[in-house]
Amino acid sequence: MKPVSEIYGQLAGPARKVVITMHQKPDADAMGSSLGLANFLIQFGHQVTVISPTNWARWLNWMPGCDAVLNYEAEKEKASAALDEAEWLFCLDFNIFYRTKTMADHLKAMNCVKVLIDHHQEPDAPSFDYGVSDTRKSSTCEMVFDLITASGHGDKITLQVAECLYAGVVTDTGSFRFASVTEGVHRMVADLKAKGLDHATVHDNLFNNFLENRLRFIGHVLLHRMEIFYEFNTALIAITKADLLRYQVKTGDTDGLVNFPQSIQGIKLVALVIDRDEERKWSFRSKGDFDCNTFARKYFNGGGHYNAAGGHSKESLNDTVGRFKEVMRENYDLLQ
């Protein structure tokens, strides 16, 4: 794919039909970068449609423009029509089409300009005409900010754009505590603040916007579903379908759970598996030199970042947990 900088001169027009999409079950970075870019592009007269492959967490609904986002699974006819008419397709916060679930085949078949903006490892570069893939970046929202400013349109960062981009940065950096935070991230936030960003309100919308059942669910999980293997410096959380039903868990309610065991002294790897309808979903977090991306790709059909990755399994919950314990022992030396 060619450098994304080659389209900078076309951002201001002529007006085009643009679709922006993200990975399934989008988080704040996926939704924030998509809506931040959308709110930027519409200022030039582009006809912009944002499509999520699936539903999303209700605590993202406050984002400017979220009420117009199409859910591909629920609004397939309308979303497909937008895809068929698109002249530009922006793919944000994912780098291979299968991460868009049932949208993947449609995206592959599209005959339009495809642009990638992402920070995950091992992008499927041949599938895109233009793009930027930079694993050093804290978030896709930071990369959208870079695109806007590097293209000479920093004046187009409205309050709506700023709120969306800040949301993705603050969540993907763990509230600025991860190693991916650079001086550039703080300069970005300073710039957004100078443009009127009320960061406290965004924080409230992201972190203080849940129902009581989620807190009780987290308590149940930490008390009854967490195992600690000190010999392997590893924590494992396995959530059953019964847990999800008992606490009426919705999309987004499990976000952040994988981070809790990282506060335990000596823990190097945390694994979270959730028993979903069609498959078992894995999340991995690590400290230091344990490579989650390689681990997830090798054993659990996944990938992501060095210290944060995901995967999936078609095995039963018991079988995939058993598999994890086997490979945990296989990686004993790396976990010391």
Side-chain angles (χ1 to χ4, degrees), residues 98-99 120-121 292-297 300-305 308-311:
Y98 76 74
R99 293 212 60 210
H120 296 88
Q121 296 182 351
C292 279
N293 175 61
T294 298
F295 182 83
R297 286 181 182 274
F300 294 100
N301 310 299
H305 305 289

Side-chain angles (χ1 to χ4, degrees), residues 166-181 185-186 189 203 206-207 259:
Y166 180 77
V169 170
V170 72
T171 52
D172 253 32
T173 61
S175 297
F176 307 103
R177 74 179 187 271
F178 295 158
S180 60
V181 177
V185 172
H186 290 295
V189 175
H203 187 279
L206 289 171
F207 301 112
N259 297 317

Side-chain angles (χ1 to χ4, degrees), residues 164-210:
C164 293
L165 298 185
Y166 180 77
V169 170
V170 72
T171 52
D172 253 32
T173 61
S175 297
F176 307 103
R177 74 179 187 271
F178 295 158
S180 60
V181 177
T182 64
E183 66 274 13
V185 172
H186 290 295
R187 282 197 294 267
M188 169 188 170
V189 175
D191 187 84
L192 299 182
K193 287 289 293 180
K195 295 181 184 300
L197 172 71
D198 179 359
H199 71 279
T201 297
V202 174
H203 187 279
D204 251 9
N205 286 331
L206 289 171
F207 301 112
N208 301 325
N209 198 12
F210 299 99

Side-chain angles (χ1 to χ4, degrees), residues 86-265:
E87 298 168 80
W88 278 0
L89 173 70
F90 283 88
C91 297
L92 273 57
D93 205 37
F94 71 95
N95 59 22
I96 190 165
F97 286 133
Y98 76 74
R99 293 212 60 210
T100 63
K101 205 175 179 182
T102 56
M103 275 181 65
D105 288 341
H106 201 148
L107 298 183
K108 290 177 185 177
M110 290 174 64
N111 186 24
C112 68
V113 174
K114 298 175 183 178
V115 184
L116 172 70
I117 304 175
D118 181 65
H119 65 134
H120 296 88
Q121 296 182 351
E122 302 180 46
D124 181 21
S127 292
F128 303 94
D129 300 292
Y130 302 92
V132 54
S133 175
D134 191 345
T135 59
R136 298 168 299 176
K137 289 296 182 178
S138 68
S139 57
T140 305
C141 279
E142 182 189 358
M143 300 177 75
V144 171
F145 175 84
D146 290 345
L147 178 149
I148 294 173
T149 55
S151 65
H153 298 296
D155 60 312
K156 298 295 186 182
I157 299 179
T158 61
L159 181 58
Q160 290 76 22
V161 173
E163 288 176 339
C164 293
L165 298 185
Y166 180 77
V169 170
V170 72
T171 52
D172 253 32
T173 61
S175 297
F176 307 103
R177 74 179 187 271
F178 295 158
S180 60
V181 177
T182 64
E183 66 274 13
V185 172
H186 290 295
R187 282 197 294 267
M188 169 188 170
V189 175
D191 187 84
L192 299 182
K193 287 289 293 180
K195 295 181 184 300
L197 172 71
D198 179 359
H199 71 279
T201 297
V202 174
H203 187 279
D204 251 9
N205 286 331
L206 289 171
F207 301 112
N208 301 325
N209 198 12
F210 299 99
L211 300 178
E212 175 191 345
N213 68 294
R214 180 178 183 265
L215 193 59
R216 296 192 181 277
F217 167 69
I218 292 173
H220 167 77
V221 166
L222 296 180
L223 184 61
H224 299 290
R225 300 292 182 248
M226 183 173 67
E227 294 183 81
I228 307 297
F229 304 93
Y230 285 108
E231 181 182 358
F232 301 92
N233 300 311
T234 295
L236 168 65
I237 297 175
I239 299 175
T240 68
K241 179 68 66 60
D243 294 331
L244 302 179
L245 295 173
R246 176 182 177 184
Y247 290 95
Q248 300 179 316
V249 172
K250 306 297 184 185
T251 297
D253 284 347
T254 60
D255 286 9
L257 257 179
V258 70
N259 297 317
F260 279 87
Q262 287 190 299
S263 65
I264 300 173
Q265 186 177 21

